[in-house]
Structures are given as structure tokens and as C-alpha cells.
Amino acid sequence: NNTIVHRSFSFENALIEASLLMEEGGRPVLVGAVDEITKDRHTILRRFGLYKPGWKNGRPLVGNVAGEGAAFFLIDKEPGKNPMALIRDMCLLYKPENNETIQNAIPDFLKYNNVSMDQIDLVLSSQTGDPHNDEPDEMLLTTVFPGKSFFPFKSLCGDFPTASGFALWLAACLLKEQKLPSWMKGITLPLNNIIIHHRTGNTHHSFILISSC
């Protein structure tokens, strides 16, 4: 039982740990992501300007909508009897030097996995609805993923360090079921390749490539 606490890379590092354990012969591995909002934690992060402190004149103040959640996955090297999806690879960027660093990393990441940009069917992005914090996501969607279908997954779960676990669950369900909820507009089926962009501030960026089995 390994517990990994690496802030916004916690779940991503848990996936890396699982892959290392499987390389050593341990299989399968149960990987989970858990975050709970406590009153003290929300107060502290609100003071840092991360979470919205409330409303003023009928409009939310600067910050993200706080969220919490838990997601667990049984991961194995072999597909098993009824797999949901395939986690192809993951890319982590910590404190990228500039926007070009992020923009260049994604094509290189896809090329390494023999996936072209044309093969990406959906981008699950990290917008929270706060224009002060969503600029990095908007930049990537317009420069790296122009014209690609996207959905801001944090509009469902809120913002929290391991929200990428929720996004992975959502992506796996979409790839397995090949059905779209009524509130997911402008996305075309079938879905074969989804890329998840999980971001906290402009310091932690992770990209998870997940495909149908």
C-alpha cells in the first residue's frame, strides 16, 4: 500500500508507481485518487486566490470553484475480459519556462506514441469558468488543438489536486460506452483517442493519452 502526496501530480505519480510495480511483476494494481475539501483547507487556499471566496453583485469573485472526489482504477498490463480503455502514456510539465514549452511538448508527446493530431477525437481541458485562470487552457485549445472537440471536465467536478482521476474516469466511460450525455454538445462519435490536460495554476501540467481498446 503506497500513498503518494505530490500535490497536483499526486494521481499522475500514482500511475507511474503502478507502471513500475507492473514492470517488476506485480499485477494487477489498484490505483486511486482521493481529495476532500475541509473547511480549513478551503479557507487557506481561498486566501491564496485559488478558490472563489463568494459572490459580489450577483457575480462570483476571482478564483476557481472548489471540488472534491474519489476515483479508483484496476490497472493491468493485459486487457483482461472487459477492459474500459487503454492508458497509452503520460507527460508531466512542472513550471514550464514559457507557453512555447507547453506547445512544443504536446506534438512531441503524440509523435513519441505514434499518434497524429488528426487522431485526437476529444480534449478534456481544465477550464474552471474563471477568465483570470483559464488563459493557459484557452491558449492551448487555439494554438495546439484548433478545431478539436473539447470539454472542460472541471465544470462537473470542480477544481482539486487529483481532478485528473475524475477526468480519467470520464474519458474511460466515454471510450467504453461510445455514448454522449445530453450536456456534452458538439462532439462526434466514435471516440478512439482522448487527451486529458490537467492543470493547476501554470506550474503543474499533465497530459494523459487514453485510447479505446
Side-chain angles (χ1 to χ4, degrees), residues 11-50:
F11 179 63
E12 287 81 351
N13 278 300
L15 290 175
I16 293 173
E17 180 76 6
S19 68
L20 294 174
L21 288 170
M22 288 188 291
E23 288 297 326
E24 294 175 356
R27 48 176 298 198
V29 181
L30 183 65
V31 181
V34 179
D35 260 304
E36 179 183 9
I37 295 180
T38 63
K39 183 178 180 180
D40 291 343
R41 180 170 179 269
H42 188 276
T43 300
I44 292 170
L45 294 177
R46 186 183 65 196
R47 288 175 180 172
F48 289 151
L50 181 60

Side-chain angles (χ1 to χ4, degrees), residues 2-163:
N2 295 339
T3 301
I4 298 173
V5 184
H6 284 167
R7 296 188 178 181
S8 294
F9 282 163
S10 296
F11 179 63
E12 287 81 351
N13 278 300
L15 290 175
I16 293 173
E17 180 76 6
S19 68
L20 294 174
L21 288 170
M22 288 188 291
E23 288 297 326
E24 294 175 356
R27 48 176 298 198
V29 181
L30 183 65
V31 181
V34 179
D35 260 304
E36 179 183 9
I37 295 180
T38 63
K39 183 178 180 180
D40 291 343
R41 180 170 179 269
H42 188 276
T43 300
I44 292 170
L45 294 177
R46 186 183 65 196
R47 288 175 180 172
F48 289 151
L50 181 60
Y51 294 148
K52 295 183 187 297
W55 296 71
K56 184 177 181 180
N57 299 325
R59 300 185 64 182
L61 297 175
V62 173
N64 300 335
V65 175
E68 61 184 359
F72 281 79
F73 307 88
L74 192 63
I75 299 177
D76 205 342
K77 293 178 69 174
E78 302 299 328
K81 293 182 179 180
N82 192 27
M84 291 189 70
L86 170 66
I87 301 175
R88 298 278 292 270
D89 201 357
M90 182 170 53
C91 172
L92 305 182
L93 295 175
Y94 178 63
K95 291 185 177 179
E97 184 176 354
N98 49 46
N99 288 336
E100 288 186 2
T101 301
I102 308 171
Q103 294 170 359
N104 294 333
I106 300 171
D108 291 343
F109 172 60
L110 295 178
K111 183 178 180 181
Y112 179 81
N113 288 282
N114 295 316
V115 175
S116 69
M117 189 63 70
D118 291 339
Q119 292 175 293
I120 299 298
D121 302 306
L122 176 64
V123 179
L124 293 179
S125 57
S126 283
Q127 293 106 313
T128 63
D130 179 12
H132 298 276
N133 291 316
D134 286 347
E135 184 178 349
D137 303 281
E138 302 294 343
M139 179 271 296
L140 283 181
L141 289 172
T142 56
T143 60
V144 181
F145 301 109
K148 289 292 178 184
S149 298
F150 72 94
F151 183 81
F153 68 88
K154 289 183 180 179
S155 65
L156 301 177
C157 65
D159 188 31
F160 54 98
T162 59

